[in-house]
Every structure is written in C-alpha cells, then in structure tokens.
Amino acid sequence: MRIVVVGDTLLDVDVAGTSDRLSPDAPVPVVDVTTDDRRAGGAGLVATMLVRDGHDVTLVTVLGNDARAQELRDLLPDVTVVAGPSGAPTPVKTRVRVVDHALVRIDEGCATPPVPEATDAMTAALDGADAIVVADYGRGVAAAPALREALARVAEHTPVVWDPHPKGAAPVPGITVATPNAAEARRFTDVDGHGVPVATVPFATVAAAALVEQWGVGAVAVTLGDRGALLADDRSDSRFVPAPSVTAGDPCGAGDRLAAGVAVALAGGADVPAAVAAGVVAASEYLAAGGVTALFADDGPAPLRVSGADHDALRTVHEVRSAGGTVVATGGCFDLLHAGHARTLSAARALGDCLVVCLNSDTSVRALKGPDRPIMTQDDRVELLLALDCVDAVVVFDEHTPDEALRRFRPDVWAKGGDYTASELPEAATLAEWGGRVVTVPFHPGRSTTRLAAALEHVG
C-alpha cells in the first residue's frame, strides 16, 4: 500500500551505558557509554515503522539546512522524503539510559518554530495515497494553511488518521479518525473540569464525543495506554476497544505505532472500529516485543508467540526468575474449555509463581485430532486461556509436542493432568535437560472435549 505520513520530523538519539560511580565534582552519576543509536523521530518514526512493514511510504515534512537534516535523510533510505524548508535548526532529542532506567533527556533546537510554508511538492504528494497519517509533533507542519487545505480535499476520498499534539493544530474537519491520548484529550477539552477522572473509560467516553463535535471529524479514539482505547463517532456511537494483556516496557513510539496500524487497516478496507482495534493490537505487539529498541534490532531471536500479539513470554519468565520464583508450564489443545481444564490449570498454577500454557496451534490440532478439529481457532483459545486468572502467558506451537517451546523458556516444572505417572509423560526427557521436574495434578474423569463436542453436535 502507498501510505503518506505528514508531520514534524526530529532526530532521536538513544545513549545507553553503565554507571557504577559518581562524578568527583558533583553528586551525579558518570555514564560509561556503550551504545549511541540514532533514528528519525516524530513523523520520521511513523514512516520508518510503515516502511519496515513493507509499505510504499512517502514522508511529507520540513527539514532544516544543517548537517543533522542530512543525517535524517540518511536514516530514511527506503522512504520517499518530500521536504520543504523548516527555517529552523533540526530538533534533536537525546535520551540517556543506564541499563533499563532513564537518566535524563537532552533537547536541542526544540523551541517551537514559526509555521512553515508548504511547497507545491508537499501538497501534491498527498494525491494517490491509500491512506494518510498526520503525525503532529507541535512544530507547525500540520498547521501550514496550504497543507491543511490539501488534507481537507484529500480526506473526502482517502482515509486520514490524525495523531494530534497539545501544542499542535486541531485536526482538519472531515478526516476519518483522530487518536489523542487521554492527557491530550484533557488539554483539548474541559471535560476534566466536570470532575471526571482522567485516563478512565468514563472520561474518555465524554472527551471523545466532545472532540468529535468540536473538531468535526468522523471519529475520535482516545487511547488509554495498556487498557486500550475508547472510540466515539459522529453518529453518537461509542465503544471500548480493549488491548491484549501484555507486559509493556518503554512506551516511546506506542502512539505512533497505533496510528500507523489504524491507517494500514483503513487502507485495506476495514471500517473505523475494526481499524482502531487493529491499531490497538499493533501498539500492544510493539510494546510487548520491546518497543522502539526492538524495532531497530536487525538480529536476535523473535519473541515467542503469545496471544494475538507478539507478547514476549520470556520477559514474564525472566521477571519471575529474577524475583526468585518458580516457573510452571503445562500444555494441550484446550479446544473447548471445561471444568476439568479449569481445575487442572488452577492446580498447575499453585505449583509455582507463574503459569505458561503451551498451546497446540490450529495446524498441530488438525494433525493430532483430524480435519474437523479444532472447533475454536487458536486466537480464540488463547483469548479464553488468558482470561483465566491462573494463566500468566500462552505460547502457541506448531509441532506435535511442545519440546522446542519448552527449551526456549525452560520451566522449572511441567504439570499435566492425567491418570498416568510423571515418568510416563513424553516431556519428562526434555525437562531433564535442565533439571526441571515433571508433576501430575489431579485428573477429573468425565470431563472431555471430545465428549462435549459430540454432545453439542447431537444438540445441533
């Protein structure tokens, strides 16, 4: 798809290192730098995300006349950059981190510049797009009159997603959907003045509806972090879009990932509710995979598949182990959850401090059970399992047995329900490779997915 990104482009620098001493001239930490990573930020980050997804991306922006502007162009080799003059130095935001902790952010050239003039090339670049994302970072590109006129014209026949900024311009009337976060929605409205707590669904419901009317747009999705988003449209309809359950890390770029996901879904023909749901999942996957750091990683193992998103189950396991806890795993098809499953999973969770369920994929279930199974898709089975309080993560595997998945996170305990001994379980040999234990938990006869499926077929 051809996606056009419109907005302010910055240079982001991530400096990471270690620190084990204080400076002799002031009580501040001394950072021994190990990495100095540079990337295009703002609208440039959105363009990078989309081009890495395989789309044809054009970035409409403004750039300064300095060496850092050329550095930005070099950081976007696969993006078509259509840039007018900014009339200001290139803004640079440098984050200094020690291990996983932010120490300081240094801003250079980040004072708000005058609204730039949009060139004819910039407005012409909007034509022929399958979707447009406006990534407003409050530096004037989205406020340029000629560009706003062009966006309003294109919005009549092309999906436009507007990610606003508190210091930026209001979205152009008639765009498809705007995606402010809760803090931005509070700045744009007086809802907080009515005593409604911010960053809650009640607040977002009122704020989203108010902004739809205030901005004259098709819909507004107020994002609520790892909870999801609240969507309201110009037909007075509102709905909550929950996020998959993930362990989120560095949130940098999550809003960009959401807006990009919404735009791609709209370009593919999805309606607004489905597109916002796709954007929420995309942002959750992005966070679970490690955020902006993982986006720019060229190698390293991919995260284990967990739920509908790439939730890094290894992170859950690592956190439990770091706290001295015990990791328990179990497995199965779980095609139709019944009381026997619930009891077995609860008993397994009681053996340790987290429970990872190794789930046979649809392909694996068909190979084991026949062409008429599974009854429920793996995404539905994952969602049901994660809804249980006793399940902390789900890993989907394609093979007949979960051995390779088990070798990835090496649980301390493998638990199975059944009327056999632990030594008879085929996973016993695999767990022995790292000294893990195999434990059986109570088996509840009379509860069977096959029997339940047959009964449902008979009723049907």
Side-chain angles (χ1 to χ4, degrees):
M1 300 178 188
R2 179 171 182 262
I3 311 293
V4 175
V5 181
V6 178
D8 313 292
T9 305
L10 307 83
L11 178 61
D12 283 344
V13 181
D14 277 346
V15 175
T18 59
S19 179
D20 56 11
R21 66 191 190 281
L22 295 177
S23 171
D25 55 348
V28 295
V30 175
V31 179
D32 292 319
V33 175
T34 55
T35 60
D36 183 338
D37 298 321
R38 295 164 181 265
R39 62 179 181 275
L45 178 58
V46 181
T48 301
M49 291 173 173
L50 287 165
V51 82
R52 291 197 171 212
D53 289 341
H55 301 291
D56 176 9
V57 182
T58 298
L59 173 61
V60 175
T61 189
V62 294
L63 293 174
N65 184 24
D66 53 25
R68 284 171 166 170
Q70 183 57 50
E71 185 176 359
L72 278 172
R73 290 182 181 273
D74 294 340
L75 290 168
L76 297 164
D78 300 316
V79 175
T80 301
V81 179
V82 180
S86 70
T90 299
V92 182
K93 294 186 177 182
T94 302
R95 299 192 306 168
V96 181
R97 300 177 67 86
V98 175
V99 192
D100 292 329
H101 302 285
L103 183 64
V104 66
R105 196 183 86 180
I106 303 166
D107 288 1
E108 303 173 70
C110 291
T112 304
V115 174
E117 294 287 337
T119 66
D120 291 342
M122 291 169 66
T123 57
L126 304 180
D127 296 328
D130 294 306
I132 296 172
V133 182
V134 179
D136 188 356
Y137 272 73
R139 296 186 58 79
V141 172
L147 200 51
R148 292 178 65 83
E149 292 175 8
L151 284 166
R153 183 188 74 249
V154 173
E156 295 177 1
H157 52 77
T158 302
V160 177
V161 179
W162 195 295
D163 190 9
H165 189 280
K167 295 182 179 179
V172 171
I175 59 107
T176 311
V177 59
T179 59
N181 62 34
E184 291 163 348
R186 179 180 60 182
R187 293 284 298 272
F188 293 131
T189 68
D190 63 351
V191 173
D192 189 37
H194 297 308
V196 181
V198 178
T200 63
V201 170
F203 161 79
T205 303
V206 178
L211 289 173
V212 168
E213 182 176 357
Q214 178 179 319
W215 287 338
V217 300
V220 171
V222 176
T223 60
L224 300 169
D226 59 4
R227 298 184 64 187
L230 192 290
L231 173 66
D233 61 27
D234 55 6
R235 298 181 299 279
S236 300
D237 186 26
S238 64
R239 66 182 69 194
F240 178 59
V241 182
S245 178
V246 299
T247 303
D250 182 1
C252 176
D256 297 317
R257 180 75 267 190
L258 184 141
V262 173
V264 169
L266 290 171
D271 61 14
V272 172
V276 171
V280 168
V281 169
S284 298
E285 290 180 339
Y286 167 84
L287 288 172
V292 71
T293 302
L295 178 69
F296 288 87
D298 294 325
D299 50 20
L304 294 174
R305 297 292 301 183
V306 179
S307 79
D310 285 340
H311 178 171
D312 191 354
L314 294 177
R315 179 178 297 157
T316 300
V317 170
H318 174 71
E319 290 174 353
V320 170
R321 285 219 172 95
S322 297
T326 298
V327 177
V328 183
T330 190
C333 299
F334 299 98
D335 199 4
L336 286 177
L337 279 177
H338 52 69
H341 289 144
R343 293 175 183 176
T344 298
L345 291 169
S346 181
R349 179 62 173 80
L351 296 171
D353 300 285
C354 77
L355 176 63
V356 180
V357 176
C358 296
L359 182 71
N360 295 76
S361 69
D362 291 347
T363 300
S364 178
V365 173
R366 278 191 292 271
L368 291 170
K369 305 287 187 178
D372 295 330
R373 301 281 293 274
I375 298 167
M376 296 193 301
T377 66
Q378 65 191 45
D379 288 343
D380 287 345
R381 290 182 285 131
V382 168
E383 186 171 347
L384 286 171
L385 285 166
L386 288 175
L388 300 175
D389 288 340
C390 57
V391 176
D392 298 284
V394 179
V395 176
V396 179
F397 64 94
D398 288 318
E399 300 79 18
H400 289 321
T401 67
D403 295 290
E404 290 306 314
L406 291 172
R407 291 187 176 101
R408 289 291 302 279
F409 66 94
R410 297 192 170 201
D412 303 297
V413 178
W414 173 256
K416 285 287 283 186
D419 53 355
Y420 36 65
T421 63
S423 61
E424 294 173 335
L425 288 169
E427 295 82 12
T430 303
L431 267 289
E433 294 175 10
W434 55 84
R437 295 176 292 133
V438 176
V439 177
T440 58
V441 294
F443 175 65
H444 302 280
R447 280 84 175 179
S448 163
T449 298
T450 301
R451 184 178 302 174
L452 182 59
L456 291 172
E457 185 178 0
H458 178 72
V459 171

